[in-house]
Amino acid sequence: MRLLPAIDLIGGKIVRLTEGDFSTEEQYGDPYELLKAWQGKVPMIHLIDLEGAKAGEPRHLDVVRYAKSLGFLVQTGGGIRSEASLDAVMETGADRVLLGTKAFTDPDFLDKAIEKYGKRVAVALDAYDGKVAINGWQEATKLDDISVAQDLVKRGIETILYTDIGSDGKLNGPNVTRMKALRQIVNVTLIASGGVTTEEDVKELKMAKIDEAVVGKALLSGKVSIEELIEWEARYA
């Protein structure tokens, strides 16, 4: 099971939010310094442009380029709502690019993205109580997350990042029940995000046959070290 250290960005700084609420912002320093510290320790990272997600266009492509220059595989997203912004993110060399809002509001855009970039295109499916949220989690929809996931697979998406907004930033464990429900209906690379904090969390996700998990606040706050993350990944490979 692959574990992805997460860096969320606002104003050039690493931040974490609770349940996607921008008023809960906590800062954790400089992304360039942290990336340098992680270089050679983990193969892949998760870089999310929260400022871009709120603004509707990417704002931190320089950080993605820097991560690539250090040799990381990069999964990134945030604010990609036009063909031009998608092309700009792809040109950084990002290995996986997450589409969010636009994937649900403009199906034609998603289809064209898949046709152009294939498996490099993934979808960030963010939900609260089973309902999809868009626009940087600031707007709820009536879309059911399970039904949406099924439709994404039919359209050709091979990777889905699922964030349980109610668990995000709380350090109280992921929503394993929801991840199991998704696993039962989609046979694609499935990534868990939100609340992953302990080795037991990783073990439960592995038992649920989840392919990857994002670890954010637990790592940044010091509740888990990058070395522990590496050990867990090896243990539950």
Side-chain angles (χ1 to χ4, degrees):
M1 182 178 188
R2 175 180 275 172
L3 299 177
L4 306 179
I7 294 177
D8 293 348
L9 299 163
I10 294 177
K13 300 295 183 183
I14 301 169
V15 303
R16 289 298 298 174
L17 309 179
T18 299
E19 293 189 356
D21 184 350
F22 281 78
S23 70
T24 66
E25 178 183 322
E26 298 175 84
Q27 292 194 359
Y28 290 93
D30 183 86
Y32 298 97
E33 291 180 5
L34 187 58
L35 287 168
K36 189 66 176 177
W38 286 350
Q39 186 181 21
K41 295 182 178 180
V42 292
M44 190 170 193
I45 58 170
H46 175 78
L47 274 175
I48 296 299
D49 185 350
L50 291 179
E51 184 178 355
K54 191 174 183 179
E57 61 180 8
R59 295 287 176 83
H60 291 88
L61 296 184
D62 53 336
V63 182
V64 180
R65 293 187 192 97
Y66 183 71
K68 287 302 299 178
S69 76
L70 294 181
F72 289 104
L73 297 173
V74 177
Q75 172 174 279
T76 190
I80 304 169
R81 297 178 198 163
S82 69
E83 186 175 346
S85 61
L86 175 60
D87 291 342
V89 177
M90 288 294 184
E91 286 170 6
T92 66
D95 301 274
R96 264 194 213 142
V97 175
L98 295 161
L99 300 182
T101 298
K102 196 72 171 177
F104 311 116
T105 61
D106 189 347
D108 288 342
F109 177 83
L110 178 61
D111 292 342
K112 291 175 182 177
I114 296 170
E115 182 180 358
K116 189 171 184 179
Y117 292 109
K119 63 177 61 179
R120 289 175 70 193
V121 176
V123 169
L125 179 54
D126 308 319
Y128 193 91
D129 286 340
K131 298 301 180 183
V132 176
I134 59 175
N135 292 325
W137 301 359
Q138 304 305 297
E139 182 181 342
T141 73
K142 295 182 180 180
L143 298 173
D144 175 74
D145 55 0
I146 299 292
S147 298
V148 167
Q150 289 176 310
D151 182 64
L152 291 173
V153 174
K154 289 178 182 177
R155 289 180 174 278
I157 284 294
E158 297 184 29
T159 301
I160 296 174
L161 169 78
Y162 184 87
T163 300
D164 179 65
I165 298 171
S167 302
D168 189 68
K170 291 186 174 180
L171 303 175
N172 60 0
N175 188 337
V176 178
T177 300
R178 207 61 185 167
M179 296 307 303
K180 286 180 178 178
L182 282 165
R183 179 76 291 168
Q184 290 175 356
I185 60 101
V186 296
N187 185 28
V188 295
T189 298
L190 193 55
I191 309 169
S193 177
V196 181
T197 305
T198 66
E199 182 177 357
E200 186 62 27
D201 294 337
V202 176
K203 182 180 179 180
E204 287 188 15
L205 290 171
K206 175 68 175 181
M207 291 176 65
K209 299 181 180 179
I210 305 306
D211 301 289
E212 302 177 11
V214 171
V215 183
K217 191 170 184 177
L219 184 60
L220 296 173
S221 66
K223 288 190 176 294
V224 58
S225 68
I226 197 72
E227 288 75 22
E228 287 176 303
L229 211 66
I230 295 165
E231 290 177 8
W232 297 350
E233 183 171 274
R235 194 168 296 148
Y236 299 101

